[in-house]
Amino acid sequence: MRVLLAGLCTVDLVQRVEELPAPGEKVQSLQVDVAAGGPATNAAVTAAALGAEATLLTVLGAHPLAALARADLEAHGVRVVDLDPGRAGPPAVSAAAVRDRDGERTVVSRNAAGSEATWDGTVDADVVLVDGHHPGLALSVARAAGDVPVVLDAGSWKPVLDELLPLVDVAACSAHFSAPEPGLHQRGVPTVITTAGPGPVRWSTADGGSGEVPVPAVEARDTLGAGDVWHGALAVAVVREPTVTDRIRFANEVAAERVRHVGPRSWTTAIAGRNRT
């Protein structure tokens, strides 16, 4: 199957620490990792690890830091389409600290503010995922999708969502996501899913269906990017699984596996080949 993902790609510098530092405090890290990050990017790595052909539309540019992200993605089977390859400035950068004892993290990032990236290609995929961080890109991809299902990673409200939501088939929202009235179903979204960390995932459909799916109980070692992994697994499951609950259950299982592993990519081999129907 083929997954087309459009959105943010960052360069992530991840420090693993015994305790998260207080303001003004310096701490020695236990481990350092550098990897590509961002919602659509981590979702693309997930889709590729699950055996899909994953193509990521994003903006990286020609800065030396961009080469780090590009190499990481290529090593993990993601085809990268850089919509501004000659861009001279640095790519989006994210600095994260992960607490060793429970995987809790803090993140400071510079995302795609002010991006004017768009796309005029043809969607040749079985499912599309957008994260909205490059607003014009998200809109152009969703408009080109036609009958191909569009999944939205809705981490926070963005102005582009007023135009984007009517083009979305599945809005997968974080617990912190809040939309102005009217609700997402009234804005044209057939299926709305809301995650809650280790709590049950709730879902509803425009025809009145609703329910929740529990999350597997695991020892969390690293929660960085777990939500992105969940969204990537959901995008794959939209094609492979027959019902909303089956799709959520599959995404829950993949995300649970991710948080059991330390580091930004160590989990990929654990989910490789995790194909259901």
Side-chain angles (χ1 to χ4, degrees):
M1 63 170 293
R2 299 156 300 169
V3 184
L4 179 66
L5 308 100
L8 182 66
C9 183
T10 66
V11 176
D12 285 2
L13 174 62
V14 184
Q15 303 266 10
R16 194 165 187 89
V17 296
E18 289 186 356
E19 293 294 339
L20 298 174
E25 182 182 11
K26 294 182 180 180
V27 298
Q28 182 78 20
S29 65
L30 305 173
Q31 177 178 321
V32 179
D33 292 290
V34 178
T41 296
N42 286 325
V45 171
T46 305
L50 291 168
E53 295 180 13
T55 299
L56 175 66
L57 304 176
T58 191
V59 173
L60 279 172
H63 192 277
L65 283 176
L68 298 176
R70 190 175 288 109
D72 177 48
L73 291 169
E74 291 174 353
H76 289 89
V78 177
R79 176 176 172 255
V80 180
V81 177
D82 188 351
L83 300 175
D84 193 2
R87 184 175 180 271
V93 175
S94 176
V98 179
R99 188 164 58 194
D100 187 56
R101 58 183 166 84
D102 59 2
E104 189 55 73
R105 81 283 189 271
T106 62
V107 180
V108 178
S109 61
R110 174 68 176 171
N111 294 333
S115 170
E116 298 180 356
T118 60
W119 183 69
D120 59 0
T122 300
V123 171
D124 182 20
D126 300 297
V127 63
V128 166
L129 181 145
V130 297
D131 64 19
H133 278 283
H134 293 280
L137 172 60
L139 277 174
S140 56
V141 171
R143 287 168 176 159
D147 294 332
V148 176
V150 176
V151 178
L152 169 67
D153 178 345
S156 61
W157 179 262
K158 301 173 181 65
V160 70
L161 295 185
D162 280 322
E163 293 182 76
L164 184 60
L165 285 170
L167 306 171
V168 168
D169 296 284
V170 180
C173 310
S174 72
H176 303 292
F177 179 83
S178 178
E181 293 295 334
L184 299 193
H185 290 311
Q186 289 72 28
R187 291 173 179 269
V189 182
T191 302
V192 177
I193 303 171
T194 304
T195 60
V201 177
R202 294 179 288 110
W203 62 272
S204 63
T205 55
D207 61 8
S210 64
E212 62 180 39
V213 182
V215 171
V218 298
E219 180 186 2
R221 298 296 315 284
D222 193 338
T223 60
L224 186 66
D228 306 337
V229 171
W230 188 92
H231 285 91
L234 178 70
V236 170
V238 163
V239 179
R240 291 182 178 168
E241 301 294 333
T243 69
V244 175
T245 54
D246 287 334
R247 294 165 185 172
I248 294 172
R249 186 173 298 111
F250 180 75
N252 288 353
E253 291 170 356
V254 172
E257 190 64 46
R258 187 274 170 269
V259 302
R260 292 180 60 248
H261 296 266
V262 173
R265 296 288 180 257
S266 58
W267 50 273
T268 56
T269 54
I271 70 167
R274 189 179 282 247
N275 301 338
R276 295 180 67 171
T277 56

